[in-house]
Amino acid sequence: MNENREVSNLPNTKRTPETARPDSLNTWQSAIPHSENEWISMAHGGGGKLSQRLLDEIFLPAIGTLSLHRKLDSALLHFSGGKVAITTDSYVVTPRFFPGGNIAKLSVYGTINDLAVSGATPIAISAAWILEEGFPLSELKLLAEEMGTAACETGIPIVTGDTKVVDRGRGDGCYITTTGIGIVPKGRYVGPDRILVGDAILISGTIGDHGMAIMAARGGLPISTEIVSDCAPLHQLIDSLLHAGIAIHAMRDPTRGGLSSVLNELAEGVRLGINIGESSVPIAPLV
Amino acid sequence: MNENREVSNLPNTKRTPETARPDSLNTWQSAIPHSENEWISMAHGGGGKLSQRLLDEIFLPAIGTLSLHRKLDSALLHFSGGKVAITTDSYVVTPRFFPGGNIAKLSVYGTINDLAVSGATPIAISAAWILEEGFPLSELKLLAEEMGTAACETGIPIVTGDTKVVDRGRGDGCYITTTGIGIVPKGRYVGPDRILVGDAILISGTIGDHGMAIMAARGGLPISTEIVSDCAPLHQLIDSLLHAGIAIHAMRDPTRGGLSSVLNELAEGVRLGINIGESSVPIAPLV
């Protein structure tokens, strides 16, 4: 096998096949065809082209359903009682505590926002924790409390959950996967296919704050903790716009890839161009 | 800090605080109170007493909602259109392929079964993948196809998903968190509080097959692959019982802890005793 061919161009990361680990048990794994010498790289999770390829070339052909193909923040399901929205995200952020937030708060707010930008009223969240052996119970308690507080503040309950423990060195303290469900009120339809020529683009705040706060907290920037993440639940903000009769055509919650990725995706989806005046994009001076 | 006090009694595992890792960035982590020198151990994920303590002492006080307190396989939410069931589970099984199944199939079947034993008709599943840098794309493709096949076979679509990539050594190839939602038909009520004196206990098959198949595949048993996991979707089996008018009071999908844990929990919940004739518990000779 040629192990040199890489799908990623990230520098300085030594890559060996995952199955070459000494503790790996290959009895059943040997059934897996390793004809393509391609491995997951960090860039596959970055929200850019490789993430897109992962979705287009692996997940959609294998699992493809209509709602997966639409690549929205939430899937919308029609059933006799109306429309249910469902969204899921794993949170693997490092560090877990950063200026303005933490992984637990973020997991609740992120899920609420994914539902809200789909026009849904969030009704419940599930939380699955993958804990690494050796994770301090005191920090787990603190994170659970942060999650409880976020649920309480937003009024969206955590209704079910799961905890799994993985061997030391097979995790990173804790990962949280939250899934949210919401109800889309009858007659409400918000979606990227409603975008029309002449639509204006509104941004709910300055861009890049969260990403820069995380980078600063990681110690990767020569600045301290002055930049604070703007992680916050937006369902009430969105609700008040909708109730005020503002005809919102589409909404998105930009995550990995940021504003430019979101606008690119929206533009491609409707085959329209978007004009952005650089000076009109709100960015905090520090960011 | 006294690092010797442990909540677990697992032998031969060296324990150091998770935050003592050299690459850990403690700027924000230092806000966390480390007054209790207790760490997560593998036993916290085993489904026994420590798992129970984790839930009772950490999660319920912090996040506690009525449905979390009920500790059911799915939470049931009432809304104007009826009752929605929601369940979530992270799958971290090693090895990922075992006789009779694999992590992807298991994640779909497990979620479907958690809904079905709650009396719900499964309608959709979300799947969140946490991939480790270096995971072979060929295996990912195979697992995605297995998930797609399981969804297709059972008729329950995967409607939304997420993929995150974590650094090498911070994961274990791939973890999958599936969340399922289902609708509970009007008038159907299945739950452990309906258990009555005189109820009979039915088991859908021989016990221990899955656990032993996993142990055998891990190489921890002096036997080969003759034991096959019985992982399978049970929603149609359950549906046919319910449609035949069998008055099922409660159902459970035994996972970690197995039959004895489930029966213990059920008995404790209703403060009744359960008589089990050992010879009437179906166990395959090989198991």
Side-chain angles (χ1 to χ4, degrees):
Chain A
M1 292 203 304
N2 167 20
E3 287 172 30
N4 297 317
R5 191 178 151 219
E6 294 295 335
V7 289
S8 145
N9 51 7
L10 286 186
N12 303 329
T13 35
K14 194 190 159 206
R15 283 148 209 285
T16 49
E18 196 273 341
T19 48
R21 285 201 310 234
D23 57 350
S24 176
L25 292 140
N26 287 313
T27 326
W28 283 84
Q29 304 277 358
S30 62
I32 304 159
H34 279 288
S35 56
E36 296 178 48
N37 296 328
E38 292 190 321
W39 324 103
I40 285 289
S41 67
M42 292 308 291
H44 280 102
K49 277 187 189 164
L50 277 183
S51 300
Q52 200 56 50
R53 274 190 56 189
L54 203 59
L55 191 60
D56 289 338
E57 296 173 18
I58 297 208
F59 287 107
L60 291 181
I63 312 178
T65 52
L66 186 64
S67 41
L68 268 183
H69 277 279
R70 289 185 68 205
K71 298 174 190 172
L72 304 178
D73 289 300
S74 304
L76 295 180
L77 306 172
H78 295 260
F79 71 106
S80 58
K83 258 193 294 187
V84 171
I86 175 168
T87 184
T88 195
D89 263 301
S90 290
Y91 292 82
V92 299
V93 63
T94 304
R96 286 181 291 277
F97 289 80
F98 47 82
N102 55 67
I103 190 173
K105 247 187 180 174
L106 195 65
S107 71
V108 173
Y109 294 167
T111 296
I112 287 174
N113 293 347
D114 279 341
L115 292 171
V117 298
S118 307
T121 304
I123 58 168
I125 292 175
S126 69
W129 301 66
I130 297 177
L131 305 171
E132 185 188 6
E133 187 189 15
F135 188 60
L137 283 182
S138 53
E139 182 173 347
L140 181 62
K141 189 161 176 280
L142 194 58
L143 287 174
E145 282 163 0
E146 288 287 322
M147 179 175 277
T149 305
C152 201
E153 269 173 10
T154 56
I156 318 301
I158 312 292
V159 293
T160 190
D162 182 48
T163 53
K164 289 290 182 330
V165 178
V166 296
D167 287 318
R168 190 184 297 272
R170 302 281 167 102
D172 188 18
C174 96
Y175 296 138
I176 302 174
T177 301
T178 41
T179 306
I181 67 172
I183 302 292
V184 183
K186 269 179 191 154
R188 182 180 295 173
Y189 182 55
V190 174
D193 48 338
R194 285 201 56 203
I195 293 172
L196 293 175
V197 173
D199 278 356
I201 297 165
L202 298 178
I203 297 180
S204 64
T206 50
I207 68 166
D209 299 42
H210 176 70
M212 294 301 270
I214 298 285
M215 278 176 72
R218 274 184 194 151
L221 293 175
I223 47 168
S224 67
T225 56
E226 291 161 77
I227 303 174
V228 173
S229 164
D230 60 347
C231 83
L234 300 178
H235 60 310
Q236 282 164 345
L237 178 77
I238 291 170
D239 215 45
S240 52
L241 285 174
L242 290 168
H243 275 101
I246 313 282
I248 298 173
H249 290 167
M251 289 182 276
R252 283 294 300 271
D253 181 23
T255 50
R256 297 168 291 176
L259 181 64
S260 57
S261 277
V262 163
L263 293 181
N264 257 315
E265 275 178 35
L266 291 178
E268 269 181 25
V270 287
R271 299 180 169 274
L272 290 173
I274 296 179
N275 275 324
I276 309 291
E278 195 176 333
S279 62
S280 66
V281 177
I283 306 183
L286 206 58
V287 171
Chain B
M1 293 203 301
N2 166 21
E3 289 173 28
N4 297 317
R5 190 180 150 220
E6 294 294 336
V7 289
S8 145
N9 53 7
L10 286 184
N12 303 328
T13 36
K14 196 191 158 205
R15 283 147 209 285
T16 49
E18 196 271 341
T19 48
R21 283 202 311 233
D23 56 350
S24 176
L25 291 141
N26 287 314
T27 325
W28 282 84
Q29 304 277 0
S30 62
I32 304 159
H34 279 288
S35 56
E36 296 176 48
N37 295 328
E38 292 190 321
W39 325 102
I40 285 289
S41 67
M42 292 307 293
H44 279 103
K49 278 186 188 165
L50 279 182
S51 299
Q52 199 56 50
R53 274 190 58 189
L54 203 62
L55 190 61
D56 289 338
E57 295 174 18
I58 297 206
F59 287 107
L60 291 182
I63 311 178
T65 52
L66 186 64
S67 40
L68 268 184
H69 277 279
R70 291 186 68 205
K71 298 172 189 173
L72 303 179
D73 289 301
S74 305
L76 295 180
L77 306 172
H78 295 259
F79 71 106
S80 58
K83 260 193 293 188
V84 170
I86 175 168
T87 185
T88 195
D89 264 300
S90 291
Y91 292 83
V92 300
V93 63
T94 305
R96 287 181 291 277
F97 288 79
F98 48 83
N102 54 68
I103 191 173
K105 247 187 180 175
L106 195 64
S107 72
V108 173
Y109 293 167
T111 296
I112 287 174
N113 292 347
D114 280 341
L115 291 171
V117 298
S118 307
T121 304
I123 58 168
I125 291 175
S126 69
W129 300 66
I130 297 178
L131 305 171
E132 185 187 7
E133 187 189 14
F135 188 61
L137 283 182
S138 53
E139 183 173 347
L140 181 62
K141 189 162 177 280
L142 193 58
L143 287 174
E145 283 164 358
E146 288 287 321
M147 179 175 277
T149 304
C152 201
E153 269 172 13
T154 57
I156 318 301
I158 313 293
V159 293
T160 190
D162 181 48
T163 53
K164 290 290 181 331
V165 179
V166 295
D167 287 318
R168 188 184 299 270
R170 303 280 167 102
D172 188 19
C174 95
Y175 296 138
I176 302 174
T177 302
T178 40
T179 306
I181 67 172
I183 302 293
V184 182
K186 270 181 190 150
R188 182 180 297 173
Y189 182 56
V190 174
D193 48 337
R194 285 200 57 202
I195 293 173
L196 294 174
V197 172
D199 279 356
I201 298 165
L202 298 177
I203 297 180
S204 65
T206 51
I207 68 167
D209 300 42
H210 176 70
M212 294 301 271
I214 297 285
M215 279 176 70
R218 274 184 194 150
L221 292 176
I223 47 169
S224 66
T225 55
E226 290 160 77
I227 303 173
V228 173
S229 164
D230 60 347
C231 83
L234 300 179
H235 61 310
Q236 282 165 344
L237 178 76
I238 291 170
D239 215 45
S240 53
L241 284 175
L242 290 167
H243 274 101
I246 313 282
I248 298 173
H249 290 167
M251 289 182 277
R252 284 295 300 273
D253 182 23
T255 49
R256 297 169 290 176
L259 180 65
S260 58
S261 278
V262 163
L263 292 181
N264 258 314
E265 276 177 37
L266 291 178
E268 270 181 24
V270 287
R271 298 178 171 276
L272 290 173
I274 296 179
N275 275 324
I276 309 291
E278 197 177 331
S279 61
S280 66
V281 176
I283 306 183
L286 206 56
V287 170

